[in-house]
Amino acid sequence: MDPWRGGDGCVLLVGSLHPGVKCANCHVDPIPGARWKCVACDDYDLCSLCYHGDKHNLGHAFLRLETPSSKVTKLPPRKDCSKVQAQGIFPGAVVTRGRDWKHGDQDGGDGKRGKVVDIRPWNDEFARSAVRVRWENKHENTYRLGFQGKTDVLAVTATSGGHYYKYHLPIIALEPLQRSFGADEYVRVDSDLETVRAMQPNHGEWMDKMRYVLGRIGKVVRQFDTGDVKVLVDGEEWTLNPVVLDSMMPTTTTSRQGARAEASSGGGIKSGDSEGPRRLQ
């Protein structure tokens, strides 16, 4: 069985779903887990299975989004990158009770072992968040593996889960993936033309006259229920995808007053300006 897929052939990948976004190769809809968007092609997205499986042109750069509203990350073409082998709890792995075990003696008792049958969703919302295990006593059940941070089983003997681009995966950080912005908050627009242009369709769209907002500071007018953000830049309002925005905070009273005046009166602030607001770390 393909370790990336469930028994019914559907792709089961860790993470959020991306409503309205379909994988252009395997056609899973919506894409679960990370979304990989081609920079060179219009409206071309891959799921993690297909991205790490080398589908589409390896010479094209991609953008990675962990959730529909997370900060976008631009990645180099895969043709210039190496892969590593995944090792862990995949079908065939031998497991025992984990730190969050609360299932009595289903496994036959503490220290008993079982074999992973497949990886599956714990529910319809959280893909690839559980495992089906068959124990030595022939009992079989489904257990949490990542759902709400819980781990019911622990690997005794790991198995291979294929190969992946290690340095194309996100680093786990404390910054929340869901991005929200308040009215009057200062934000910086991503300075990369390819990234912003690729992320604007269905999020305010892209027009060539928007080039001047790249890398500039603006003030949030409002955030819509869709997540899109209306930003005032140089006296004009633009609707932007939240993934191309970074929250900013002026470091001094003077720079804060300057940012407010520049963002509202037409001067604008370039992200490289030494006296401009700095991003909260």
Side-chain angles (χ1 to χ4, degrees):
M1 179 185 295
D2 187 336
W4 292 85
R5 295 182 180 272
D8 60 356
C10 64
V11 178
L12 302 177
L13 297 167
V14 170
S16 300
L17 298 175
H18 295 265
V21 184
K22 178 171 68 174
C23 178
N25 182 69
C26 72
H27 309 298
V28 62
D29 184 10
I31 286 179
R35 170 189 175 189
W36 310 83
K37 183 174 183 61
C38 182
V39 172
C41 302
D42 292 334
D43 194 26
Y44 195 96
D45 297 273
L46 293 176
C47 66
S48 287
L49 169 68
C50 294
Y51 182 82
H52 293 287
D54 291 338
K55 305 303 180 183
H56 196 51
N57 192 320
L58 297 183
H60 289 183
F62 272 74
L63 306 175
R64 185 193 70 231
L65 294 93
E66 289 92 82
T67 75
S69 62
S70 62
K71 187 73 176 73
V72 65
T73 302
K74 189 174 183 180
L75 302 165
R78 289 168 291 172
K79 69 179 182 64
D80 300 322
C81 304
S82 59
K83 295 169 107 174
V84 297
Q85 187 178 56
Q87 291 284 333
I89 299 179
F90 295 98
V94 177
V95 297
T96 189
R97 293 183 183 185
R99 65 184 184 187
D100 299 309
W101 179 267
K102 296 184 183 298
H103 304 279
D105 287 333
Q106 289 182 5
D107 56 351
D110 191 16
K112 297 298 184 180
R113 299 181 177 187
K115 182 172 289 188
V116 174
V117 177
D118 63 27
I119 302 176
R120 56 182 61 190
W122 182 258
N123 58 30
D124 292 338
E125 186 177 354
F126 294 91
R128 201 172 174 83
S129 55
V131 290
R132 188 77 177 176
V133 178
R134 182 179 297 116
W135 300 101
E136 294 172 341
N137 63 5
K138 308 303 180 184
H139 184 80
E140 187 175 314
N141 203 355
T142 300
Y143 303 95
R144 298 168 299 179
L145 187 68
F147 176 73
Q148 294 184 339
K150 302 297 183 181
T151 304
D152 289 329
V153 295
L154 178 69
V156 175
T157 304
T159 53
S160 173
H163 293 77
Y164 64 97
Y165 293 98
K166 177 180 179 180
Y167 295 105
H168 287 204
L169 297 177
I171 296 174
I172 297 176
L174 297 178
E175 182 178 348
L177 294 177
Q178 300 298 331
R179 316 188 76 241
S180 60
F181 301 92
D184 297 327
E185 180 177 350
Y186 288 98
V187 294
R188 180 180 67 83
V189 184
D190 196 299
S191 60
D192 186 79
L193 172 62
E194 288 185 331
T195 297
V196 177
R197 184 163 52 191
M199 298 312 304
Q200 276 300 106
N202 301 316
H203 295 277
E205 306 306 327
W206 168 262
M207 295 177 284
D208 282 341
K209 66 179 182 179
M210 294 172 63
R211 289 173 180 260
Y212 84 92
V213 307
L214 299 177
R216 305 192 81 84
I217 303 296
K219 185 170 72 172
V220 172
V221 177
R222 62 169 296 192
Q223 185 164 24
F224 300 98
D225 291 340
T226 59
D228 294 338
V229 185
K230 181 174 287 188
V231 180
L232 178 69
V233 182
D234 291 351
E236 289 192 66
E237 293 182 351
W238 301 96
T239 297
L240 298 167
N241 190 323
V243 305
V244 303
L245 300 175
D246 275 323
S247 181
M248 307 294 294
M249 172 173 276
T251 55
T252 66
T253 301
T254 301
S255 62
R256 180 163 55 250
Q257 293 172 343
R260 185 180 300 115
E262 294 283 5
S264 61
S265 65
I269 303 174
K270 200 68 176 174
S271 62
D273 292 349
S274 61
E275 296 303 318
R278 300 176 187 275
R279 181 184 179 187
L280 275 173
Q281 297 298 320

